[in-house]
Amino acid sequence: MSVIQKLVLFCLKSIENQRTAYAILHLLNGKKSSQTIQDAHLFHLKQYFHVLPHLTREEFNQILDFLIEKNYVTCLNEGTYRITEKGDIYIQVHAEPILPIYLNGWSYNRMDKLFWERLSLMVQVISNLVAYNGRYLPIQNNKPHLDWIKNFIQRNRFNRYELATQLFKELQHLFTNKKIDPLILILRLTGSKRIGLTAHQAAEQLQMSVLTYHLHFTNVIHMILTEVKGKTSYPLLEQLLETEEKNEWIHLTQSTRKTAIYLNQGYDIEDIIKIRQLKQGTIEDHIVELAIIDSSFDIDIYVPPEVQRNIMKTSTNGIKQLKYIRQSVPEASYFQIRLVLAKHKSAVSV
Amino acid sequence: MMKHLLREKFGYTSFRDGQEETIKAVLAGKHTLAMLPTGSGKSLCYQLPTYMLPGATLIISPLLSLMQDQVDQLLLIGEKRAIAFNSFLNYQKKMSALKNLHQYKFIFTSPEMLQSKLFMERLSEINITLLVIDEAHCISQWGHDFRPDYLAIGTVMEDLGNPPILALTATATDRVKQDIKQSLNMQNSIDILYSVDRPNISLHVEKVGSYQEKIDVLIKRVSALHGPGIIYFSSKKTAEICAQSLKENGIKRVSIYHGGLNHEERILIQQQYIHNQLDVICATSAFGMGINKENIRYVIHFHMPMNMESYLQEIGRAGRDGQTSLALLLYAPFDEQLPRQLVETELINDSQMEKLRQFFLEDSLRWWELEKYEEEIIAIANLSETSMRLLKDFHRNAILHHKEATSLDELKEMMNKQLQLKFEAIHTVYQYIHMSTCRREKILQYFGEQPTINIVECCDHCNGSNYPNLQAEKRETMPEYENWEEILQEILLSETSKNEE
Ligand SMILES: [Zn+2]
């Protein structure tokens, strides 16, 4: 049985036919609905939240078919399944370690992607630094990451060889005596002479399916995150966890603060809607709140300067009613008007 | 000064054919038409002058992926003042790019963007000292890759302050060249024309009996050939199947490459190939545009190319180092069906056109709000992604000139002409495959050139079906570490220990 099949079997046992099997698909996909979030807590499956974001319904159905065929589960009625005695015994016999043990999807589901992108970039940059090679293509093209790494190199610009040696030591220490295969991650790393493998290629070399590989890869990243967090023995790797927060932000609501962190990392509204599974209106509210509190917040990218001028012209005529401004500045959206007024600390009556 | 810049900035010691003349013409402020062979480093012809001109260079390019590749290439030489301004940018990114537009030295954009008022306004405020039209043959209705949105370029030159134009094209017939000059109003241009011929590439065609036999022959040929190669496919699915077959037959260092890869995968596979970690790329036509690899020894076409122009561009990626190389085209009976089908799906046919007409005539408002009905239109007329884009390009232009829905007749005429031209182009390739005289002569004739003489490894008709002797590359194999610590050591410590020694 593959690790993914085991995982689904384990989850089916945990939900004890109180939910349909698709609740598990949603959980593994990391769907941000209140039902899925409740399920994750209720059935103690938080660690598997969002560990297989790409698992499709078809692939999931195939796994269910396999489990039925092997007589590990039986179908009760439409969509609900019960684990059989054979399935139960299988789990008990193979209890330790049946599943990747470091998975912690609930805590890390937003951080793992960011962490990998920064780590892979850090290794590439340092490897090229010691090779005195200035001409190479960064394997990540996310602008915030590139800015971050530039910043990081400046902060740590003591001897470049020491930097490389330190990173080597930290990674070596990290992977020693862990219940994972370090190659899962190491094969993906790119240096000055050696170009890393893609996820597909690594899966092929390690002879697993892409899906299984993905689960193991996530397991490795989660292991690193747990290991590095709050420890002093990983001075370089710990810096990969940084998120930049500004002092003024303490006055923001919790949710707005999260949005602010994402914005500061260079994500835009559309990205944040996707990542946080919130409505556009909610994110826009956050941005307006941020504009009120953080005086350095630049709104030019949301509202062209000439539109800002037009809005201010109308509103300085003593009129603060959104509807009226909207009529006289038709090119501006409600969001843009609220944002401009917030920036200029005008009280708005809707 | 030029030579110095070439060495310091770009790391080359000498110019390639046509580069120096083109750059001199550009720096003299002349309109320039440059037709240089693929792989001759066309982008250098505007990159280098940009550093010597006071303002920014605006580069108009047809493919979004190509733009990003160019920006990446500039990044590679440490140039950060480059941006690809296109529809991939969302509102926020667009606004911030517009705000900072004056800080860029290289601005890449698509013809479509030239119709954005805001963008044009900003462009007219900054100093554009060179306008580059990449793939300029796209402007010609006689070209193999005509794009209606390219026609808009002719109308914006004044707003840009009539800067000197550099029109770049790889392979074009005389008719297309004349068309380019007329459309861009650059009749008095300096023309720098190089032969399409690449004497070090030997031209071969191999006919097989069936699709399955084609796969078998492919495996046999690839096993026997030396050095890095590219195999082009028209379908991603077939590329995957063949890559798998090659692996199963012992050719391990193979990877597929297609338009659907993400940034990390795209960079990794390109770099693996450049670093000789891969021998063979099974690619759809998206591969090769942005990469500089000198030692590609062979290019195989598994499917029939759509036209001679793109065929020459694709085989032109082989042998940039001047060493003997091979172009092999595999043909099975009825292979011409696939390109014909592809052409049909990318254009709008008469019955689809009729459905569109009816849809717009039913309610004349629909024409003016076409964007709103996009999904409906696609469903009603069963349009492919490319044909929907054609409609939108045409529509945008029509609206600009206040034309009603009845102007669809013009589009219909355009489509019929295109269909006929593209079928003719496929037929030319078909004739090329089935001819029995010198293949090189046929190519040169098609592009209106005089035959070159005395080519040692010319083609299968001149030299017989044996392949030229390709110099086996000294293969820099990557040490196949099994051990993770050794890999980590190689990445992080190999230079460190060298330093200590
Ligand atoms: Zn010949």
Side-chain angles (χ1 to χ4, degrees), chain B residues 101-119:
Chain B
L101 205 61
H102 55 282
Q103 294 171 4
Y104 293 101
K105 197 75 179 145
F106 297 89
I107 303 165
F108 293 85
T109 195
S110 60
E112 176 197 352
M113 279 293 140
L114 297 178
Q115 288 169 354
S116 148
K117 259 201 178 138
L118 219 51
F119 184 48

Side-chain angles (χ1 to χ4, degrees), chain A residues 5-252:
Chain A
Q5 289 159 344
K6 283 183 202 167
L7 178 57
V8 173
L9 181 63
F10 181 80
C11 290
L12 280 171
K13 182 184 157 72
S14 304
I15 65 168
E16 293 166 337
N17 66 49
Q18 294 180 47
R19 296 278 184 278
T20 70
Y22 288 126
I24 295 169
L25 177 64
H26 295 152
L27 177 94
L28 298 175
N29 282 167
K31 190 177 171 192
K32 299 241 163 66
S33 71
S34 53
Q35 183 66 57
T36 303
I37 290 167
Q38 258 180 45
D39 287 351
H41 286 83
L42 187 63
F43 301 114
H44 306 286
L45 293 171
K46 281 193 303 189
Q47 66 273 37
Y48 302 126
F49 183 79
H50 195 263
V51 293
L52 289 171
H54 306 298
L55 180 67
T56 64
R57 194 168 266 258
E58 291 75 51
E59 287 165 330
F60 185 72
N61 285 338
Q62 279 169 19
I63 296 170
L64 291 177
D65 290 346
F66 172 85
L67 294 175
I68 293 170
E69 195 195 314
K70 290 275 165 198
N71 201 18
Y72 288 131
V73 297
T74 51
C75 187
L76 289 179
N77 43 45
E78 207 50 44
T80 48
Y81 296 81
R82 197 207 336 247
I83 188 159
T84 62
E85 211 185 323
K86 187 182 169 199
D88 208 35
I89 291 170
Y90 183 90
I91 288 185
Q92 281 172 31
V93 171
H94 298 81
E96 259 312 298
I98 182 170
L99 295 168
I101 57 171
Y102 300 104
L103 287 174
N104 193 351
W106 185 257
S107 310
Y108 298 143
N109 71 76
R110 283 180 217 120
M111 216 190 285
D112 47 14
K113 184 166 172 279
L114 175 102
F115 184 83
W116 162 247
E117 288 177 354
R118 282 184 179 177
L119 174 67
S120 56
L121 200 55
M122 181 197 245
V123 170
Q124 185 191 23
V125 168
I126 292 178
S127 175
N128 280 287
L129 205 62
V130 287
Y132 283 90
N133 180 19
R135 290 186 179 187
Y136 60 95
L137 284 177
I139 58 167
Q140 308 294 345
N141 68 341
N142 185 325
K143 181 87 169 45
H145 291 337
L146 294 171
D147 290 345
W148 179 86
I149 192 79
K150 209 195 301 173
N151 204 309
F152 166 85
I153 294 293
Q154 263 164 13
R155 264 179 292 158
N156 298 284
R157 68 185 145 193
F158 41 93
N159 188 329
R160 56 180 80 194
Y161 298 107
E162 265 173 51
L163 197 57
T165 314
Q166 175 63 26
L167 183 57
F168 176 82
K169 277 187 194 149
E170 288 185 25
L171 288 170
Q172 190 184 38
H173 184 69
L174 194 57
F175 287 120
T176 307
N177 297 324
K178 294 290 176 343
K179 289 178 178 156
I180 49 123
D181 177 0
L183 279 176
I184 288 166
L185 184 125
I186 301 287
L187 285 176
R188 299 274 299 275
L189 295 174
T190 292
S192 64
K193 290 199 187 67
R194 181 192 175 91
I195 309 299
L197 302 185
T198 65
H200 278 80
Q201 291 170 333
E204 204 174 354
Q205 178 151 342
L206 297 169
Q207 298 179 328
M208 5 173 137
S209 75
V210 174
L211 217 51
T212 303
Y213 174 80
H214 182 88
L215 190 71
H216 285 304
F217 182 76
T218 306
N219 186 45
V220 173
I221 297 285
H222 289 185
M223 180 276 282
I224 303 176
L225 285 167
T226 309
E227 181 77 12
V228 169
K229 247 185 165 177
K231 299 246 175 67
T232 47
S233 43
Y234 299 101
L236 290 181
L237 293 175
E238 217 218 325
Q239 295 181 50
L240 293 169
L241 301 174
E242 279 172 6
T243 50
E244 277 156 46
E245 288 199 50
K246 292 191 186 171
N247 290 336
E248 300 99 302
W249 293 0
I250 342 164
H251 305 296
L252 297 171

Side-chain angles (χ1 to χ4, degrees), chain B residues 438-440 458-459 462:
Chain B
C438 176
R439 297 194 192 278
R440 196 170 304 266
C458 180
C459 66
C462 295

